Amino acid sequence: MSREIDEGLERSERTRPIPVHLNTRVKFLWEKVAKEDTAKLAQAVGVSVRTAQRWARALTALAEGRMTGDIPMTRANAAKVERAVRAAWQPRVKQRVRRQAEQRGFMLHMQATFGFSAAGGSTDDPRPRMITQKMPGDVARRLYEARDAGATQARQEAILAEALRDEYFKDGGRRARGLDVELNDIAWMDVEL
């Protein structure tokens, strides 16, 4: 499933990128999230306590130089570790950024294909566009609420298409009456606060 909107919001919420290496991610979760408790690590990642114990032993072996390379784990568990790190990374920065976006709005940069329906005589062929548009705080609030509720990419795209229709294509209601916009494909997206 495509996650351009989630990833765009997430990138804007960080001042530093999450750790790249698997060992560093597990170490972050072990020290900062689980506070060196295997049961808490297991719960944070969504694995068994036994698996968390193996990871803790591997971290000790790495620190003592008895082991080299990555901590052995399945791809599914590596994905769980990444999700847990993303969720726990810089929580105060996330709160501050979200609050600012909901109050002041954000700058949206994206390249996407849009479909249109409008008055007779106009075309409804999908067209790729590169857009940079200041979006109001209400749009940020709606996107964050949708993400928090586990909304699908399609639902988030509908929220964004509606907001772009009003802010970009209709210019706040000053033109293109009766225009409806559909977001068909996002090539890339970034959010700037």
Side-chain angles (χ1 to χ4, degrees):
M1 181 178 87
S2 185
R3 296 185 55 231
E4 290 91 355
I5 296 173
D6 284 344
E7 290 170 0
L9 289 172
E10 188 177 291
R11 278 191 304 274
S12 72
E13 294 174 339
R14 295 190 303 252
T15 57
R16 293 180 298 140
I18 68 167
V20 174
H21 299 289
L22 182 60
N23 293 353
T24 311
R25 290 175 178 179
V26 174
K27 184 177 179 184
F28 166 76
L29 292 171
W30 175 245
E31 293 175 352
K32 304 294 185 188
V33 176
K35 307 289 188 210
E36 299 187 7
D37 181 327
T38 53
K40 288 180 182 176
L41 178 61
Q43 183 179 14
V45 179
V47 295
S48 69
V49 173
R50 181 75 183 112
T51 299
Q53 290 169 345
R54 281 195 301 272
W55 294 350
R57 279 196 308 276
L59 284 173
T60 302
L62 284 166
E64 294 173 353
R66 294 183 286 119
M67 180 179 151
T68 60
D70 286 335
I71 296 171
M73 73 175 63
T74 65
R75 287 181 196 223
N77 283 346
K80 289 179 182 180
V81 166
E82 182 179 350
R83 280 192 299 273
V85 170
R86 286 185 189 282
W89 193 250
Q90 295 185 311
R92 289 188 298 249
V93 172
K94 283 182 184 180
Q95 291 170 354
R96 184 187 74 231
V97 166
R98 180 174 178 161
R99 200 171 37 251
Q100 288 174 349
E102 290 177 352
Q103 290 172 356
R104 300 183 204 156
F106 63 95
M107 188 64 75
L108 175 68
H109 306 278
M110 75 183 315
Q111 181 174 352
T113 302
F114 293 89
F116 305 94
S117 61
S122 64
T123 180
D124 61 354
D125 290 339
R127 295 176 218 155
R129 291 188 186 252
M130 185 160 334
I131 294 177
T132 297
Q133 177 66 38
K134 175 76 172 158
M135 302 300 282
D138 180 55
V139 175
R141 182 188 51 74
R142 290 174 55 210
L143 284 172
Y144 279 120
E145 287 173 357
R147 185 184 72 176
D148 294 347
T152 64
Q153 175 77 10
R155 176 65 191 128
Q156 293 176 19
E157 285 177 1
I159 292 169
L160 204 52
E162 181 182 312
L164 283 167
R165 177 196 67 204
D166 296 341
E167 297 299 319
Y168 180 79
F169 293 103
K170 287 187 169 186
D171 193 19
R174 289 185 280 279
R175 61 180 173 175
R177 297 197 197 303
L179 177 73
D180 198 19
V181 176
E182 180 181 299
L183 188 50
N184 295 330
D185 181 40
I186 299 175
W188 59 266
M189 178 186 138
D190 212 1
V191 174
E192 179 184 342
L193 302 168

PDB file of all heavy atoms in Angstrom, residues 26-36 88-89:
ATOM      1  N   VAL A  26      17.109  -1.169  17.375  1.00  0.00           N
ATOM      2  CA  VAL A  26      16.809  -2.036  18.519  1.00  0.00           C
ATOM      3  C   VAL A  26      17.394  -1.427  19.797  1.00  0.00           C
ATOM      4  O   VAL A  26      16.747  -1.414  20.847  1.00  0.00           O
ATOM      5  CB  VAL A  26      17.325  -3.470  18.293  1.00  0.00           C
ATOM      6  CG1 VAL A  26      17.152  -4.321  19.546  1.00  0.00           C
ATOM      7  CG2 VAL A  26      16.608  -4.117  17.115  1.00  0.00           C
ATOM      8  N   LYS A  27      18.602  -0.884  19.703  1.00  0.00           N
ATOM      9  CA  LYS A  27      19.233  -0.256  20.872  1.00  0.00           C
ATOM     10  C   LYS A  27      18.403   0.936  21.362  1.00  0.00           C
ATOM     11  O   LYS A  27      18.215   1.119  22.562  1.00  0.00           O
ATOM     12  CB  LYS A  27      20.652   0.188  20.527  1.00  0.00           C
ATOM     13  CG  LYS A  27      21.406   0.766  21.695  1.00  0.00           C
ATOM     14  CD  LYS A  27      22.828   1.127  21.315  1.00  0.00           C
ATOM     15  CE  LYS A  27      23.547   1.738  22.508  1.00  0.00           C
ATOM     16  NZ  LYS A  27      24.885   2.194  22.169  1.00  0.00           N
ATOM     17  N   PHE A  28      17.907   1.746  20.426  1.00  0.00           N
ATOM     18  CA  PHE A  28      17.047   2.876  20.804  1.00  0.00           C
ATOM     19  C   PHE A  28      15.811   2.384  21.552  1.00  0.00           C
ATOM     20  O   PHE A  28      15.461   2.901  22.607  1.00  0.00           O
ATOM     21  CB  PHE A  28      16.641   3.663  19.554  1.00  0.00           C
ATOM     22  CG  PHE A  28      15.500   4.620  19.789  1.00  0.00           C
ATOM     23  CD1 PHE A  28      15.700   5.824  20.444  1.00  0.00           C
ATOM     24  CD2 PHE A  28      14.222   4.307  19.361  1.00  0.00           C
ATOM     25  CE1 PHE A  28      14.647   6.698  20.678  1.00  0.00           C
ATOM     26  CE2 PHE A  28      13.160   5.173  19.582  1.00  0.00           C
ATOM     27  CZ  PHE A  28      13.374   6.370  20.245  1.00  0.00           C
ATOM     28  N   LEU A  29      15.145   1.372  20.992  1.00  0.00           N
ATOM     29  CA  LEU A  29      13.948   0.840  21.647  1.00  0.00           C
ATOM     30  C   LEU A  29      14.283   0.247  23.013  1.00  0.00           C
ATOM     31  O   LEU A  29      13.536   0.432  23.981  1.00  0.00           O
ATOM     32  CB  LEU A  29      13.280  -0.223  20.760  1.00  0.00           C
ATOM     33  CG  LEU A  29      12.657   0.295  19.470  1.00  0.00           C
ATOM     34  CD1 LEU A  29      12.229  -0.877  18.586  1.00  0.00           C
ATOM     35  CD2 LEU A  29      11.488   1.215  19.756  1.00  0.00           C
ATOM     36  N   TRP A  30      15.393  -0.460  23.094  1.00  0.00           N
ATOM     37  CA  TRP A  30      15.808  -1.104  24.339  1.00  0.00           C
ATOM     38  C   TRP A  30      16.095  -0.069  25.429  1.00  0.00           C
ATOM     39  O   TRP A  30      15.631  -0.196  26.558  1.00  0.00           O
ATOM     40  CB  TRP A  30      17.035  -1.976  24.064  1.00  0.00           C
ATOM     41  CG  TRP A  30      17.658  -2.624  25.255  1.00  0.00           C
ATOM     42  CD1 TRP A  30      18.901  -2.386  25.756  1.00  0.00           C
ATOM     43  CD2 TRP A  30      17.087  -3.638  26.089  1.00  0.00           C
ATOM     44  NE1 TRP A  30      19.138  -3.176  26.842  1.00  0.00           N
ATOM     45  CE2 TRP A  30      18.040  -3.963  27.074  1.00  0.00           C
ATOM     46  CE3 TRP A  30      15.865  -4.298  26.107  1.00  0.00           C
ATOM     47  CZ2 TRP A  30      17.812  -4.907  28.068  1.00  0.00           C
ATOM     48  CZ3 TRP A  30      15.630  -5.245  27.092  1.00  0.00           C
ATOM     49  CH2 TRP A  30      16.591  -5.545  28.049  1.00  0.00           C
ATOM     50  N   GLU A  31      16.830   0.978  25.081  1.00  0.00           N
ATOM     51  CA  GLU A  31      17.240   1.960  26.087  1.00  0.00           C
ATOM     52  C   GLU A  31      16.186   3.026  26.362  1.00  0.00           C
ATOM     53  O   GLU A  31      15.930   3.361  27.522  1.00  0.00           O
ATOM     54  CB  GLU A  31      18.538   2.635  25.648  1.00  0.00           C
ATOM     55  CG  GLU A  31      19.718   1.692  25.632  1.00  0.00           C
ATOM     56  CD  GLU A  31      20.986   2.326  25.086  1.00  0.00           C
ATOM     57  OE1 GLU A  31      20.923   3.474  24.571  1.00  0.00           O
ATOM     58  OE2 GLU A  31      22.048   1.675  25.156  1.00  0.00           O
ATOM     59  N   LYS A  32      15.594   3.577  25.328  1.00  0.00           N
ATOM     60  CA  LYS A  32      14.703   4.728  25.504  1.00  0.00           C
ATOM     61  C   LYS A  32      13.240   4.368  25.707  1.00  0.00           C
ATOM     62  O   LYS A  32      12.538   5.040  26.446  1.00  0.00           O
ATOM     63  CB  LYS A  32      14.813   5.674  24.289  1.00  0.00           C
ATOM     64  CG  LYS A  32      16.193   6.162  24.004  1.00  0.00           C
ATOM     65  CD  LYS A  32      16.719   7.038  25.094  1.00  0.00           C
ATOM     66  CE  LYS A  32      18.082   7.599  24.690  1.00  0.00           C
ATOM     67  NZ  LYS A  32      18.728   8.297  25.759  1.00  0.00           N
ATOM     68  N   VAL A  33      12.766   3.343  25.024  1.00  0.00           N
ATOM     69  CA  VAL A  33      11.349   2.992  25.100  1.00  0.00           C
ATOM     70  C   VAL A  33      11.105   1.954  26.182  1.00  0.00           C
ATOM     71  O   VAL A  33      10.256   2.123  27.047  1.00  0.00           O
ATOM     72  CB  VAL A  33      10.831   2.490  23.734  1.00  0.00           C
ATOM     73  CG1 VAL A  33       9.386   2.039  23.821  1.00  0.00           C
ATOM     74  CG2 VAL A  33      10.985   3.587  22.684  1.00  0.00           C
ATOM     75  N   ALA A  34      11.880   0.853  26.151  1.00  0.00           N
ATOM     76  CA  ALA A  34      11.657  -0.247  27.084  1.00  0.00           C
ATOM     77  C   ALA A  34      12.390  -0.057  28.401  1.00  0.00           C
ATOM     78  O   ALA A  34      12.123  -0.791  29.357  1.00  0.00           O
ATOM     79  CB  ALA A  34      12.083  -1.563  26.441  1.00  0.00           C
ATOM     80  N   LYS A  35      13.304   0.884  28.455  1.00  0.00           N
ATOM     81  CA  LYS A  35      14.102   1.134  29.670  1.00  0.00           C
ATOM     82  C   LYS A  35      14.764  -0.158  30.153  1.00  0.00           C
ATOM     83  O   LYS A  35      14.768  -0.483  31.328  1.00  0.00           O
ATOM     84  CB  LYS A  35      13.253   1.747  30.788  1.00  0.00           C
ATOM     85  CG  LYS A  35      12.491   2.982  30.396  1.00  0.00           C
ATOM     86  CD  LYS A  35      13.378   4.156  30.192  1.00  0.00           C
ATOM     87  CE  LYS A  35      12.528   5.399  29.991  1.00  0.00           C
ATOM     88  NZ  LYS A  35      13.151   6.374  29.163  1.00  0.00           N
ATOM     89  N   GLU A  36      15.300  -0.916  29.192  1.00  0.00           N
ATOM     90  CA  GLU A  36      16.021  -2.163  29.420  1.00  0.00           C
ATOM     91  C   GLU A  36      15.174  -3.226  30.118  1.00  0.00           C
ATOM     92  O   GLU A  36      15.651  -3.985  30.946  1.00  0.00           O
ATOM     93  CB  GLU A  36      17.328  -1.898  30.173  1.00  0.00           C
ATOM     94  CG  GLU A  36      18.245  -0.984  29.376  1.00  0.00           C
ATOM     95  CD  GLU A  36      19.617  -0.816  29.969  1.00  0.00           C
ATOM     96  OE1 GLU A  36      19.956  -1.507  30.947  1.00  0.00           O
ATOM     97  OE2 GLU A  36      20.370   0.014  29.438  1.00  0.00           O
ATOM     98  N   ALA A  88       7.957   6.081  18.261  1.00  0.00           N
ATOM     99  CA  ALA A  88       8.546   6.612  19.496  1.00  0.00           C
ATOM    100  C   ALA A  88       9.582   7.706  19.266  1.00  0.00           C
ATOM    101  O   ALA A  88      10.028   8.338  20.223  1.00  0.00           O
ATOM    102  CB  ALA A  88       9.210   5.462  20.275  1.00  0.00           C
ATOM    103  N   TRP A  89       9.953   7.966  18.029  1.00  0.00           N
ATOM    104  CA  TRP A  89      11.040   8.905  17.733  1.00  0.00           C
ATOM    105  C   TRP A  89      10.598  10.343  17.936  1.00  0.00           C
ATOM    106  O   TRP A  89       9.611  10.781  17.379  1.00  0.00           O
ATOM    107  CB  TRP A  89      11.496   8.682  16.288  1.00  0.00           C
ATOM    108  CG  TRP A  89      12.786   9.348  15.939  1.00  0.00           C
ATOM    109  CD1 TRP A  89      12.943  10.419  15.112  1.00  0.00           C
ATOM    110  CD2 TRP A  89      14.097   8.992  16.374  1.00  0.00           C
ATOM    111  NE1 TRP A  89      14.266  10.748  15.005  1.00  0.00           N
ATOM    112  CE2 TRP A  89      14.998   9.887  15.779  1.00  0.00           C
ATOM    113  CE3 TRP A  89      14.590   8.013  17.230  1.00  0.00           C
ATOM    114  CZ2 TRP A  89      16.377   9.819  15.999  1.00  0.00           C
ATOM    115  CZ3 TRP A  89      15.956   7.946  17.445  1.00  0.00           C
ATOM    116  CH2 TRP A  89      16.829   8.834  16.835  1.00  0.00           C
TER     117      TRP A  89
END
